[in-house]
Amino acid sequence: MTEPCIAPYGSWKSPITSDLIVAGTIGLGGVRLDGDIVYWSEMRPTEGGRNVVVCRTADGQITDVTPPPLNVRSRVHEYGGGAFLVHQGTLYFSNFADQRLYRQKAGQEPVAITPEQAWRYADGVVDAQRKRMICVREDHTGEGEPVNTLVSLDLDGQDAPQTVLVSGNDFYAAPRLSPDGSKLAWICWNHPNMPWDSTELWVGEISAEGTIAQAQRIAGGGEESIVQPLWSPDGTLYFVSDRSNWWNLYRWIPAAQAQGGEVTALCPMEAEFAFPQWVFGYSSYDFESAEQIICTYTQNGISYLASLNPTTKQLTPIETPYTEISGVHCSRGKVVFNAGSATQPGAIVQLDLATHQLQVLRRSSELEIDPGYLSVPETIAFPTENHLTAYGFYYPPKNKDFQAPAGERPPLLVKSHGGPTGATSAAFNLKIQYWTSRGFAVLDVNYGGSTGYGREYRERLKGQWGIVDVDDCANGAKYLAAQGKVDGDRLVIDGGSAGGYTTLCALTFRDVFKAGASYYGVSDLEALATDTHKFESRYLDSLIGPYPERKDLYVERSPIHATQFLNCPVIFFQGDEDKIVPPNQAEMMVNALREKGLPVAYVLYAGEQHGFRKAENIKRTLDGEFYFYARVFGFAMADEVEPVAIENLPTPRLQQV
């Protein structure tokens, strides 16, 4: 057995390269079932980030369905989701370039069925009785904010007239038809709420003319978030609500069967049966039959699969090797879902409910990596402000070929997730292994405001964005340094979008981190409040305060107005077509750092939006951030990468491998 080479942290040579990651990894999207055929979407960095619908037949044959250059992706709410559905062998999908809906029958070319209009579509359901689709439409044809409605459109037509079924609210999601086609359920909400703050669940009768009649709100409003309404095969409506502090499953019995209607909890527990509705089409449960629900829930950042009997309310765990499970869809005797674990890449998995045999249908990566290069995360809880506890996943450095000199402690990269109403998980992430296999420790933080820990934890960020999240990231780093696990003088932080804002706040308002990387992050809260898309245009009301009434808070918590406190190097990565966090957010900060004489780098990608999808840009970003820290801290890199232009950086003395 070869003895490990002694080399400083950060200078270890790793087989987990950026080329390997972008060439061998795809993104796996939502699953849909059509009889025995399984459909899902794949985001392919090597095809410029194109999203392709793929199907697997009952005999195991996997083929692409949508041809190039079509890109199956919706821009409703900008984040999209719910971009395709399948009904009796025909695929319906939204194309990214023109946002039109297309129909593609088996063996035929796709045909556009909506006009060339500034309309976007998502989250559709087929109304087979009336030969139409009901979906969310976002209308960008007028002045001011786009108008969101629920509409119906003819499935067999081309540029057929569309009928508005439900309107008047700012946002809609999850139109769901009852099995007999007589009722429609949907979710709606209004400014300034986000869907995890307050939503309403409505049910309406479908008239003989196909319009909605006798609509009634059956749950929600106030301090209650309802998501994922779904009808069981026997026509009972189920949904997920956080009225107990936790997103749990509920059932509604209408007034015809119970006076005034009745809402019943199915399985009250301190667990989350849903996640925030950033995108359309998310599914954490489905019906195998009227007698069996297959669901996934999360506790302490770990996902579990279970079977729930809605009559007895008995929850029976189903053992799997996975720690992250989503996108649950059932047909008789089987369930298909997205899954991943700490040591296995994400996959589309099928489970036989009779034998409990698991079958992987598609992996996000077919790479076989020696476990000697893989860091397994530890779930940690650490003290933070106000005598509270925050959470995260700690990844120690791991590379079987190297060890550090005696007494050296590793640099730590703290990762702050986006949202900020979101969460990170312990699922296998090659981008994290890229760092740990080179000698970095990584802390992926679920700061206060993250989901998966109940509404109360989620609401720690109410009015406190830029404070609670920053404190938790800083305290997590200090906790690990105090334990002697990491080098307190080499703490760095990165994050994208809202995580980029947390990163910039941590670097500006706290004296903990020595460098950082902002991926399309916010630097000026006022600019974000006045120059962003409809879905998030009032998000900051709850995170900061109403604007312009509390303009003082927006200025006070904007890193761009406090660059006098910023005294460490920062690198920025940005897409030039980002409508959520426009490039000027990064550029204002870069200019301020440049004028102050601090080391700074700015990488702008043509054609990228909010998040990078092209293989060459994903590679450039990974290598560029690592190169930046190597130059800042003066350790030698084991591999040559494309240099990033860094302004104002003195030449450091390099450690020797």
Side-chain angles (χ1 to χ4, degrees), residues 269-310:
M269 58 190 293
E270 292 186 355
E272 302 275 49
F273 285 77
F275 276 92
Q277 191 173 273
W278 279 103
V279 298
F280 294 98
Y282 180 86
S283 174
S284 63
Y285 73 101
D286 199 5
F287 293 91
E288 188 274 339
S289 65
E291 296 77 37
Q292 182 174 214
I293 298 170
I294 304 300
C295 56
T296 180
Y297 61 90
T298 300
Q299 289 181 312
N300 297 321
I302 304 298
S303 295
Y304 302 90
L305 192 69
S307 171
L308 176 62
N309 184 314

Side-chain angles (χ1 to χ4, degrees), residues 403-535:
Q403 68 181 48
E408 186 184 359
R409 292 171 182 160
L412 173 70
L413 172 60
V414 171
K415 301 191 79 67
S416 57
H417 65 71
T421 309
T424 189
S425 79
F428 183 75
N429 186 333
L430 273 175
K431 292 180 182 178
I432 287 179
Q433 302 296 335
Y434 173 97
W435 291 94
T436 55
S437 62
R438 285 166 170 73
F440 269 70
V442 173
L443 175 62
D444 210 355
V445 182
N446 272 325
Y447 48 76
S450 300
T451 53
Y453 304 87
R455 185 178 181 114
E456 185 179 325
Y457 191 83
R458 195 166 76 238
E459 290 191 341
R460 284 189 192 178
L461 215 56
K462 256 194 167 177
Q464 299 295 308
W465 192 32
I467 298 174
V468 165
D469 49 323
V470 176
D471 284 335
D472 289 355
C473 288
N475 286 330
K478 290 192 288 186
Y479 172 78
L480 292 173
Q483 288 193 325
K485 291 187 174 182
V486 301
D487 184 349
D489 291 326
R490 291 190 292 173
L491 305 175
V492 300
I493 183 170
D494 75 10
S497 190
Y501 170 68
T502 299
T503 292
L504 292 173
C505 284
L507 296 170
T508 302
F509 301 117
R510 304 291 185 277
D511 188 22
V512 174
F513 299 100
K514 307 304 179 185
S518 170
Y519 293 46
Y520 36 92
V522 178
S523 62
D524 185 342
L525 290 172
E526 279 192 279
L528 183 65
T530 57
D531 185 20
T532 192
H533 58 123
K534 178 184 177 181
F535 180 62

Side-chain angles (χ1 to χ4, degrees), residues 110-151:
V111 175
I113 61 173
T114 57
E116 293 186 40
Q117 188 74 273
W119 291 339
R120 303 173 182 180
Y121 309 88
D123 215 5
V125 61
V126 169
D127 182 357
Q129 291 182 19
R130 301 166 185 88
K131 296 182 180 179
R132 65 181 184 174
M133 178 193 298
I134 298 174
C135 62
V136 177
R137 187 182 75 185
E138 192 172 79
D139 183 351
H140 289 253
T141 59
E143 296 285 331
E145 281 193 337
V147 176
N148 294 65
T149 54
L150 295 181
V151 302

Side-chain angles (χ1 to χ4, degrees), residues 73-83 99 121-122 278-281:
R73 185 178 163 202
S74 171
R75 287 191 62 185
V76 178
H77 294 177
E78 294 298 340
Y79 293 102
Q99 289 298 292
Y121 309 88
W278 279 103
V279 298
F280 294 98

